[in-house]
Amino acid sequence: MSSPISLLIRRASIILPDGTYMVGDVLTRGGMIVEIRPDIEATSATTEIDAEGLTLLPGVIDPQVHFREPGLEHKENLFTASCACAKGGVTSFLEMPNTRPLTTTQQTLDDKLQRASQKCLVNYGFFIGATSENLPDLLSCNPTCGIKIFMGSMHGQLLVSEETLLDTIFASGSRLIAVHAEDQERINQRRQEFAGITDPAVHSQIQDNQAALLATKLALKLSKKYQRRLHILHMSTADEAELLREDKPSWVTAEVTPQHLLLDTSAYAKIGTLAQMNPPLRTSHDCEVLWQALHDGVIDFIATDHAPHTLEEKAQQYPNSPSGMPGVETSLLLMLTAAMQGKCSVHQVVNWMSTAVAKAYKIPNKGAIAVGYDADLILVDLKTYRPVLREELFTKCGWSPFEGWNLTGWVQTTIVGGQIVYHQGKLCTYVRGQALQFG
C-alpha cells in the first residue's frame, strides 16, 4: 500500500496565525499540515521545495467569483478560471449562480459540482440563487455556501427586488444570505434620467451611492427582523460603510473588492468600459472610507467579484457594454503591494483574504498555517516587482483593469491539498481540488 503524498517546504518565512513570522519548515502529508518547525529533520517526503527568501501564506479563499460555466464558456470556464486562481494564489473559491442554466435547483447545483470535480485545479463551493419561486430549493439544496440574492443590477428570474418576496426568503430557514445590494427601482429611474449618454463614467451616476445604500438598509432591516445571517457582497460606498459602523449586528458580515479600494471614477478616462462593473467604481473619498472600514473590522474581508467578459464585448458602446472585470490573478498581488506601501500589514491581508473568509463561511481547517489544517499554501516573493502583462494572464478573457501596474507578491508556488498545482510559471493541470464543506 502506497504511503500518502508528502511535501516538505524548507527555509520559508512562515506567517503564523498570530501574525508573527518564523523562518522554518512545513511538512504536509495526505493533504494536511503535520509539522511546523524551525528545522525538520530529514524525511522521506515525496517532494521537497527550497523556499529560502520566499514567504509562506495560507491560500487565498475568494468568496465571490463568476466563472461562467455552464452556458457562457466563451468568457471563462471552470478549468481556465481555476488555472487563473492557481497563478494568483487562490486555492478555494465560492462561485455565483448567474450561469446558464441558473444555479437555482439541486439538479443545477449537482451539475456544477460534477463539472468542478472534473475540471478545477483548486477547491470549490457554489451559491444557490434566489428567485421569486424557488423557496423550497433554497431550504433544501446541499452542499452550498449560501443563498445569493440579486436585489438589483440583474434581470430575469434572479432579480428579487420586492420587499415582500425578500421578507419571505429572510423569514425561512437559517442559511447564510449574501446580497448584491443595489436598489433596482432607483437604477431604473436614473437610467431614464441619463438615457442617451454613452460615456461609461455615467454608470457610476446611474447606479449611485444612494442606490447601494437603499438596498443595504433594506437587507439590514430584514436581517435584524429575523436575526438572519446576512453577508453584504462587494460593498462600494462610504455611505454603506458608515451605516454599518453605526449599526452592524454580530451576525452580519461585509466584503470589499480590491478594485473598490484601489480604483475610482477617474479610471473611466483611462480604461473606458474596462472600468465598468456592478456596483460601479466610486470616488476617491469612498475608497478612503472603505479602507478605514476594512481596518476597523466594519468590513470583514476581501473578494474579487471576478466577472470576465471578452474584449469584444467590452468594446461595445455604453450602455451596451457589459459590467464586470476579472480579478483572481491580481487580487493578492494588489493587496500585498498595498502592504509593502504601508497601507496594511501582510498579516491583515492573510486575515482579509483567508482566515476571516473561512470563519464567515464556516469552512473547517482552512485559512491558517497550523498543524491539522489543510495544506492549501502559497509561496510568494515580496521582493520582486513586475508589471501586470496581458499576455501572461491565464484567465480566458485575457485582460485586466490593472494591466501595467507594477506589483509585488508574485506567487511562486501554489499548493492545494498538499499537491503542487502551480510552480514557477507552470501549471500542474492533472491536480484536482475538492468540494468545500460548510459548517
Side-chain angles (χ1 to χ4, degrees):
M1 191 173 180
S2 61
S3 59
I5 292 173
S6 57
L7 174 67
L8 179 59
I9 303 164
R10 286 207 179 276
R11 292 178 284 277
S13 180
I14 305 162
I15 190 157
L16 300 172
D18 63 0
T20 60
Y21 286 90
M22 179 185 87
V23 176
D25 303 348
V26 173
L27 178 65
T28 79
R29 186 178 294 115
M32 293 180 64
I33 299 169
V34 295
E35 198 172 350
I36 305 168
R37 291 167 57 83
D39 186 17
I40 295 174
E41 293 181 13
T43 70
S44 56
T46 313
T47 307
E48 190 170 312
I49 297 174
D50 184 355
E52 189 168 5
L54 301 176
T55 302
L56 187 69
L57 308 176
V60 172
I61 306 170
D62 190 334
Q64 192 196 170
V65 299
H66 302 262
F67 283 171
R68 306 305 193 196
E69 184 177 349
L72 298 163
E73 288 94 338
H74 69 282
K75 303 174 192 279
E76 189 80 277
N77 60 59
L78 288 167
F79 176 72
T80 59
S82 68
C83 289
C85 283
K87 182 169 181 278
V90 176
T91 54
S92 301
F93 65 80
L94 304 180
E95 206 261 353
M96 289 297 167
N98 53 327
T99 43
R100 295 179 184 172
L102 305 173
T103 317
T104 55
T105 65
Q106 187 68 53
Q107 182 181 359
T108 50
L109 176 61
D110 288 344
D111 177 64
K112 271 194 180 174
L113 287 163
Q114 177 65 19
R115 289 167 181 266
S117 71
Q118 296 172 348
K119 297 183 178 186
C120 283
L121 280 62
V122 301
N123 305 313
Y124 46 88
F126 298 100
F127 279 90
I128 193 84
T131 73
S132 60
E133 300 173 342
N134 75 332
L135 186 59
D137 301 281
L138 300 183
L139 297 172
S140 65
C141 282
N142 271 305
T144 181
C145 52
I147 298 164
K148 168 67 180 287
I149 302 180
F150 288 91
M151 299 174 71
S153 297
M154 179 51 67
H155 54 273
Q157 287 181 284
L158 284 182
L159 176 62
V160 184
S161 57
E162 296 175 21
E163 185 171 346
T164 52
L165 288 172
L166 291 164
D167 191 286
T168 302
I169 296 169
F170 272 84
S172 308
S174 59
R175 181 165 281 164
L176 176 147
I177 293 174
V179 294
H180 179 126
E182 290 189 278
D183 185 87
Q184 191 61 39
E185 187 177 349
R186 182 170 177 86
I187 291 171
N188 292 342
Q189 171 198 332
R190 289 179 72 77
R191 277 181 184 155
Q192 292 178 351
E193 289 176 29
F194 293 95
I197 299 175
T198 57
D199 180 353
V202 78
H203 189 62
S204 294
Q205 292 177 266
I206 294 170
Q207 295 175 215
D208 65 351
N209 286 37
Q210 187 66 13
L213 181 62
L214 286 169
T216 296
K217 278 184 173 177
L218 175 56
L220 193 60
K221 181 178 91 169
L222 293 173
S223 173
K224 289 165 68 178
K225 180 178 179 181
Y226 297 107
Q227 294 201 12
R228 183 64 181 268
R229 177 75 175 88
L230 171 67
H231 178 64
I232 300 162
L233 298 160
H234 45 42
M235 184 172 284
S236 64
T237 70
D239 310 70
E240 293 167 284
E242 286 160 3
L243 170 69
L244 279 199
R245 188 178 290 278
E246 296 299 319
D247 183 14
K248 187 188 177 192
S250 60
W251 59 86
V252 174
T253 51
E255 72 186 29
V256 66
T257 70
Q259 50 269 36
H260 285 119
L261 293 171
L262 299 168
L263 295 175
D264 59 37
T265 48
S266 66
Y268 291 115
K270 298 169 188 167
I271 59 173
T273 55
L274 298 187
Q276 181 188 333
M277 66 172 294
N278 296 331
L281 300 179
R282 309 296 184 186
T283 66
S284 57
H285 170 70
D286 288 292
C287 296
E288 290 169 16
V289 174
L290 291 170
W291 263 112
Q292 192 59 52
L294 188 59
H295 272 281
D296 295 343
V298 174
I299 296 173
D300 299 87
F301 49 83
I302 286 166
T304 64
D305 192 20
H306 177 97
H309 301 282
T310 67
L311 282 165
E312 185 181 15
E313 290 167 333
K314 277 289 195 177
Q316 295 176 91
Q317 190 176 62
Y318 186 85
N320 298 319
S321 47
S323 294
M325 56 180 72
V328 293
E329 278 173 270
T330 53
S331 59
L332 179 65
L333 300 173
L334 291 163
M335 296 308 299
L336 289 175
T337 302
M340 294 300 101
Q341 293 167 345
K343 291 181 181 176
C344 57
S345 69
V346 174
H347 181 239
Q348 284 175 309
V349 173
V350 167
N351 181 54
W352 296 333
M353 301 190 79
S354 301
T355 316
V357 182
K359 179 183 176 185
Y361 284 96
K362 298 182 179 178
I363 306 170
N365 302 320
K366 293 195 188 294
I369 301 176
V371 171
Y373 272 61
D374 294 340
D376 296 339
L377 302 163
I378 52 177
L379 282 165
V380 301
D381 177 0
L382 290 171
K383 299 181 179 124
T384 304
Y385 283 76
R386 287 198 292 111
V388 176
L389 300 175
R390 185 175 290 191
E391 58 269 24
E392 293 180 356
L393 295 170
F394 285 4
T395 176
K396 190 173 184 179
C397 72
W399 62 273
S400 167
F402 300 103
E403 186 176 355
W405 285 42
N406 200 41
L407 303 178
T408 192
W410 292 88
V411 177
Q412 302 303 299
T413 306
T414 300
I415 297 156
V416 176
Q419 297 187 78
I420 296 169
V421 299
Y422 175 84
H423 184 62
Q424 295 178 353
K426 293 183 179 178
L427 291 164
C428 300
T429 56
Y430 57 85
V431 176
R432 291 294 174 266
Q434 302 290 319
L436 294 169
Q437 303 299 312
F438 307 100

